[in-house]
Amino acid sequence: MNNSHSPRSIVRLLAALVAGAIAPNLLANEGPTEARGPVATPDLPVEQAVLTEAPFVPPPITRQHKARVVVRLEVREVIKRLADGVEYTFWTFGGNVPGSFIRVRQGDVVEFHLDNHPSSKMPHNIDLHAVTGPGGGASSSFTAPGHSSQFTFTALNPGLYVYHCAVAPVPMHVANGMYGLILVEPKDGLPKVDREFYVMQGEFYTAGRYGEEGLQSFDPEKAIDERAPYVVFNGQVGSLVGDRALQAKVGETVRIYFGVGGPNLTSSFHVIGEIFDRVYVEGGTKLVQENVQTTLVPAGGSVAVDFKVEVPGTFILVDHSLSRAFNKGALGMLKVTGDEDRVIYSGKEIDEVYLGEQSDAGSAASKREAELVAAKKEAIAQNPQIAGITKEIQIERGKKTYLSSCFACHQADGTGLPNIFPPLAGSDYLKNKEQAIRAVIKGLSGPVTVNGKNYNNLMPPQDLTDAQAADVLTYVMNSWGNDLGSVTEAEVKAVRTQK
Ligand SMILES: [Cu+2]
């Protein structure tokens, strides 16, 4: 691009011109082209490519020299699961969606064989974005059912490339699952990681709605409108959950080769609870972005992301266009096992009562208390009979203490929880005032019978002043139908000083 005089750019320019010249023919590139015989590469060692199905990736290439790499990829049309109870006729490269992962080294000469299984109904071909040449190989690989095509290309540019079928109607072939990834490793390889995974996103345009059972057919109208009922990873809902989740151990580095087959939707790829330490932007080799939360992957594009897993747990892979993740299937899991590091991630540290509306009730209580204190003063001034008001004040104060100290266990309505926390509403235990005071200030454990029911649990001593204990018990004894008089500070003090 920058230097128009380098020999390679001239070759490219020529290739582009040729492609331009035959542009009208490109539309018909699905038609058979004449076979011209194999290209000889006598001085190169020959190697068979290792192909893997997702989420697995072939091992890194360790050789330091070029090779002639033979890739044999079989197209099959297969009925498989798209979601629970939902099946679909997938058109596949290698029997699965996405197609088999291909891994070669920069400079390798790739001898590509595309076999179309005799049971196929359609002709297919392959356009590899790693190919420099018209149609990315499509025009040379058109293959009728029961036929095999061969073509050869040199992997000039390193990077992570999408491949897909390009037979008309192209969107339909891609929508049926005809895409995969080919990694062209740079000459010196990629930085080593402990685990590599292969994930591809694609959407499915089924006639039925999401989850509608049975064998679903392709809906061309939905495809044109880009209204996909399914957006999934690795060809089906739930391909990466449960025991099919990706696995790693604490301390390991993980790389995900992520591609988008589409045919139409881009992906906002994100792993919940992780940060991508390194992102090979758009599947290229030059721009390595660091510390990324979400990376945008175009249709027919890719990305490689590296990250270290520091803590155990389940990390969720999503398209952060979240309806796709939660309503259409674009959700996977990475399960990390190993020791916790609670400084990096503590887990839930505290689960305490958040009062919300209850605290409104608390502040209402404060307000009411203030009113009553004022009323009491007035009453004292006008009427020495103040006992009733004193009790009311105690109740309001006690309510606040209850809502902060007792409510979590005994519940707002005083009913407790079956077999765990005995009720205070209607509790016969409260009839013995001294016993109730002791429970609150000294705690209670071991077998206890309340209203004929046995409890054997533990109530820790409540850290309350004598006044608070007196008030909270007065509140308890006068709430939820209880009518048991009041408790004074002096009574609490007396119990506290008992052995
Ligand atoms: Cu096809």
Side-chain angles (χ1 to χ4, degrees):
M1 225 194 301
N2 43 359
N3 179 357
S4 55
H5 296 296
S6 83
R8 202 161 108 198
S9 61
I10 288 169
V11 169
R12 284 220 199 126
L13 186 67
L14 283 174
L17 284 174
V18 172
I22 60 162
N25 293 349
L26 266 183
L27 290 175
N29 75 16
E30 65 270 22
T33 51
E34 227 173 281
R36 299 153 69 188
V39 171
T41 47
D43 41 350
L44 290 183
V46 177
E47 233 176 56
Q48 299 294 320
V50 179
L51 304 186
T52 57
E53 62 183 63
F56 304 107
V57 178
I61 294 169
T62 50
R63 64 180 151 78
Q64 292 295 316
H65 53 83
K66 292 179 192 176
R68 182 180 181 97
V69 180
V70 180
V71 176
R72 203 164 257 290
L73 195 53
E74 184 188 53
V75 173
R76 268 177 182 268
E77 300 170 1
V78 292
I79 295 175
K80 288 197 159 194
R81 175 189 180 278
L82 175 56
D84 285 340
V86 184
E87 293 190 310
Y88 192 81
T89 305
F90 296 94
W91 297 351
T92 72
F93 287 110
N96 292 290
V97 178
S100 306
F101 196 102
I102 306 167
R103 188 168 199 158
V104 299
R105 179 175 175 272
Q106 181 182 10
D108 283 351
V109 173
V110 182
E111 179 188 309
F112 207 101
H113 299 261
L114 190 70
D115 304 332
N116 192 356
H117 197 268
S119 64
S120 293
K121 295 195 172 60
M122 295 287 160
H124 300 285
N125 67 13
I126 191 164
D127 166 351
L128 298 119
H129 293 178
V131 168
T132 306
S139 45
S140 313
S141 59
F142 179 90
T143 311
H147 284 253
S148 177
S149 297
Q150 178 182 337
F151 68 100
T152 296
F153 70 94
T154 299
L156 297 177
N157 301 59
L160 180 63
Y161 297 96
V162 167
Y163 66 78
H164 61 90
C165 181
V167 167
V170 181
M172 181 185 183
H173 282 250
V174 175
N176 284 347
M178 298 198 80
Y179 45 79
L181 287 180
I182 174 170
L183 173 65
V184 182
E185 282 198 44
K187 286 199 173 106
D188 299 324
L190 289 165
K192 234 180 94 63
V193 288
D194 297 310
R195 289 183 194 248
E196 295 184 316
F197 298 111
Y198 171 26
V199 179
M200 264 190 112
Q201 178 171 325
E203 71 270 15
F204 288 89
Y205 299 93
T206 51
R209 285 201 306 236
Y210 180 89
E212 206 168 302
E213 298 201 343
L215 179 62
Q216 293 294 321
S217 57
F218 171 73
D219 184 330
E221 230 167 88
K222 282 186 189 163
I224 290 168
D225 296 347
E226 303 187 11
R227 273 187 297 120
Y230 293 89
V231 183
V232 300
F233 295 147
N234 290 354
Q236 56 176 312
V237 176
S239 62
L240 297 172
V241 306
D243 23 315
R244 291 190 292 185
L246 307 178
Q247 308 272 350
K249 295 202 180 75
V250 166
E252 288 183 327
T253 45
V254 173
R255 176 174 297 146
I256 300 176
Y257 295 105
F258 184 84
V260 175
N264 300 314
L265 302 181
T266 57
S267 177
S268 302
F269 183 53
H270 176 81
V271 177
I272 300 175
E274 261 304 338
I275 295 158
F276 302 141
D277 298 329
R278 296 161 65 83
V279 171
Y280 299 82
V281 176
E282 294 174 356
T285 51
K286 171 88 182 169
L287 183 56
V288 179
Q289 171 68 295
E290 291 182 349
N291 306 319
V292 172
Q293 58 197 304
T294 301
T295 185
L296 194 64
V297 187
S302 71
V303 72
V305 295
D306 293 359
F307 52 95
K308 185 173 176 196
V309 287
E310 280 94 354
V311 294
T314 300
F315 298 84
I316 312 286
L317 284 62
V318 293
D319 179 339
H320 216 294
S321 289
L322 287 173
S323 299
R324 299 177 188 170
F326 294 100
N327 302 87
K328 299 184 170 195
L331 187 145
M333 289 177 182
L334 167 67
K335 286 195 178 155
V336 178
T337 52
D339 292 337
E340 284 192 301
D341 181 338
R342 291 200 64 213
V343 177
I344 292 179
Y345 186 72
S346 71
K348 189 169 203 168
E349 290 188 296
I350 293 171
D351 184 344
E352 62 184 6
V353 179
Y354 167 67
L355 292 169
E357 267 177 45
Q358 300 300 332
S359 73
D360 290 342
S363 69
S366 307
K367 214 169 141 195
R368 181 88 182 109
E369 183 197 337
E371 282 167 19
L372 290 166
V373 170
K376 181 181 169 187
K377 271 190 189 149
E378 193 141 319
I380 291 168
Q382 294 175 11
N383 187 344
Q385 288 186 319
I386 55 170
I389 293 175
T390 305
K391 184 176 163 189
E392 267 199 80
I393 292 171
Q394 268 197 296
I395 289 172
E396 295 304 331
R397 284 185 183 154
K399 183 173 188 175
K400 285 192 289 182
T401 302
Y402 186 84
L403 290 174
S404 60
S405 306
C406 325
F407 147 87
C409 299
H410 292 286
Q411 307 300 299
D413 60 1
T415 50
L417 288 177
N419 306 319
I420 307 173
F421 303 122
L424 300 176
S427 159
D428 57 7
Y429 193 97
L430 294 171
K431 288 185 176 145
N432 182 331
K433 203 193 266 190
E434 204 184 295
Q435 172 177 263
I437 295 171
R438 197 174 302 116
V440 172
I441 60 173
K442 302 201 167 170
L444 191 58
S445 64
V448 175
T449 305
V450 180
N451 300 343
K453 289 203 176 106
N454 297 322
Y455 297 83
N456 191 350
N457 200 336
L458 170 97
M459 167 166 148
Q462 301 297 301
D463 184 18
L464 303 173
T465 64
D466 292 349
Q468 282 171 326
D471 292 347
V472 78
L473 276 165
T474 303
Y475 167 70
V476 165
M477 289 176 170
N478 293 278
S479 299
W480 321 299
N482 291 347
D483 185 10
L484 296 165
S486 52
V487 176
T488 65
E489 225 178 304
E491 283 168 325
V492 175
K493 186 175 261 149
V495 174
R496 207 186 283 278
T497 48
Q498 279 172 16
K499 275 271 140 122

